[in-house]
Amino acid sequence: MHRRTALSVSAALLVAAPLLSACSGEPRPGTAAVVGGERITTSALQAQVNDVRAAQNRSGQAAAELIASTPHLERQKLDALLQSRIIDKMADTAGLTATQKDIEDERKAYVDENGGNEQFEALLLQKGAMAPGQVDRFLRDRVLLTALTAKYGAGKLEEPARAAVKALHIEVNPRYGAWDAKEIKLGTGETPWITQRTRPEAAPAGA
């Protein structure tokens, strides 16, 4: 069975084409971004960053390397939050949902293919800068993107994504950069990359 097991392409890239833009106004203090009229606060963003740093620090000898590999972690986590909101909007418009069972089934598939839960979470931390508490959001995005692809067809998510971005009126605090529509990412920082491909012969290890 074909599953998703490695990390190398942005979730936003599965939507295809440059889709993201930011408004020119600056969000008020304490706001990292505004999406669909709702704030992503700097404190909420910092909590995500802190969770990742704590997980990296628990990685023993690999801790220093993991931390050094994510110098733009705030921007990276904000980008991931914004991409998730876009996916949610697309799914809502399409009448699609991700149940807890869907998420659990997705987790089980990843865990089975990567040699266990510990190895799977270590891979996400290494490749996607995701703390264990952030994994369910990653899995939810995967479930929704799969459902959206099934509804619209492979390579045909551009128009629903464009409509979602337009409806959300994304504003980003300049402290964290600005949307790069050409590259489909926030500023020049690293972003979590996710790809879809067939099951490898062995569980992914290393880069």
Side-chain angles (χ1 to χ4, degrees), residues 23 42-43 61 79 91 106 134 136 152 154 160 164 199 203:
C23 299
T42 55
S43 60
Q61 293 181 344
D79 192 25
E106 192 80 352
Q134 297 164 7
D136 275 2
Y152 294 111
R199 182 186 304 182

Coordinates of all heavy atoms in Angstrom, one line a residue, residues 23 42-43 61 79 91 106 134 136 152 154 160 164 199 203:
C23 N -1.2 40.9 3.6 CA -1.7 42.3 3.5 C -0.6 43.2 4.0 O 0.3 42.8 4.7 CB -2.9 42.5 4.4 SG -4.3 41.4 3.9
T42 N 1.9 35.9 19.5 CA 3.3 35.6 19.7 C 3.6 34.6 20.8 O 4.5 33.8 20.7 CB 4.1 36.9 19.9 OG1 3.5 37.6 21.1 CG2 4.0 37.9 18.7
S43 N 2.7 34.7 21.8 CA 2.9 33.7 22.9 C 2.6 32.3 22.5 O 3.3 31.3 22.9 CB 2.0 34.1 24.1 OG 0.7 34.1 23.8
Q61 N 23.1 13.4 22.4 CA 24.2 13.8 21.6 C 23.8 14.6 20.4 O 24.5 15.4 19.8 CB 25.1 12.7 21.3 CG 25.8 12.0 22.5 CD 26.7 10.9 22.0 OE1 26.6 10.4 20.9 NE2 27.6 10.5 22.9
D79 N 5.1 29.6 9.7 CA 4.8 29.1 8.4 C 3.9 27.8 8.5 O 2.9 27.7 7.8 CB 6.1 28.8 7.6 CG 5.8 28.6 6.1 OD1 4.8 29.1 5.6 OD2 6.7 28.0 5.5
A91 N -10.5 22.5 3.4 CA -11.4 21.4 3.8 C -12.8 21.8 4.2 O -13.7 21.2 3.9 CB -10.7 20.6 4.9
E106 N -3.8 7.2 10.5 CA -2.6 7.8 9.8 C -1.4 7.6 10.7 O -0.3 7.3 10.2 CB -2.9 9.3 9.5 CG -1.9 9.9 8.6 CD -2.2 9.7 7.1 OE1 -3.1 8.8 6.8 OE2 -1.5 10.2 6.3
Q134 N 3.0 18.1 18.6 CA 2.6 18.8 17.4 C 2.4 17.8 16.3 O 2.0 18.1 15.2 CB 3.7 19.8 16.9 CG 3.9 20.9 17.9 CD 5.2 21.7 17.7 OE1 5.9 21.5 16.8 NE2 5.5 22.6 18.7
D136 N 0.0 15.4 16.0 CA -1.4 15.2 15.5 C -1.8 16.2 14.5 O -2.6 16.0 13.6 CB -2.3 15.2 16.7 CG -2.4 13.9 17.4 OD1 -1.8 12.9 17.0 OD2 -3.2 13.8 18.4
Y152 N -10.7 16.7 -5.5 CA -10.5 17.6 -6.7 C -9.6 16.9 -7.8 O -9.6 17.4 -8.9 CB -9.8 18.9 -6.2 CG -10.7 19.7 -5.4 CD1 -10.4 19.9 -4.0 CD2 -11.8 20.4 -5.9 CE1 -11.3 20.7 -3.2 CE2 -12.6 21.2 -5.1 CZ -12.3 21.3 -3.8 OH -13.1 22.1 -3.0
A154 N -5.6 14.8 -8.3 CA -4.1 15.1 -8.2 C -3.7 16.3 -9.0 O -4.1 16.4 -10.2 CB -3.3 13.9 -8.5
P160 N -9.0 25.8 -5.4 CA -9.5 25.8 -4.0 C -8.5 26.5 -3.0 O -8.9 27.1 -2.1 CB -9.8 24.4 -3.7 CG -9.1 23.6 -4.7 CD -9.0 24.4 -5.9
A164 N -9.1 29.8 -0.8 CA -9.0 29.8 0.7 C -8.1 30.9 1.1 O -8.4 31.6 2.1 CB -8.4 28.5 1.1
R199 N 6.2 3.4 -0.1 CA 6.9 2.9 1.1 C 8.3 2.5 0.8 O 8.6 1.8 -0.2 CB 6.1 1.6 1.6 CG 6.8 1.0 2.9 CD 6.1 -0.3 3.2 NE 4.7 -0.1 3.4 CZ 3.9 -1.1 3.8 NH1 4.4 -2.3 4.0 NH2 2.6 -0.9 3.9
A203 N 13.0 1.6 7.0 CA 12.6 2.8 7.7 C 13.6 3.9 7.4 O 14.8 3.7 7.4 CB 12.4 2.6 9.2

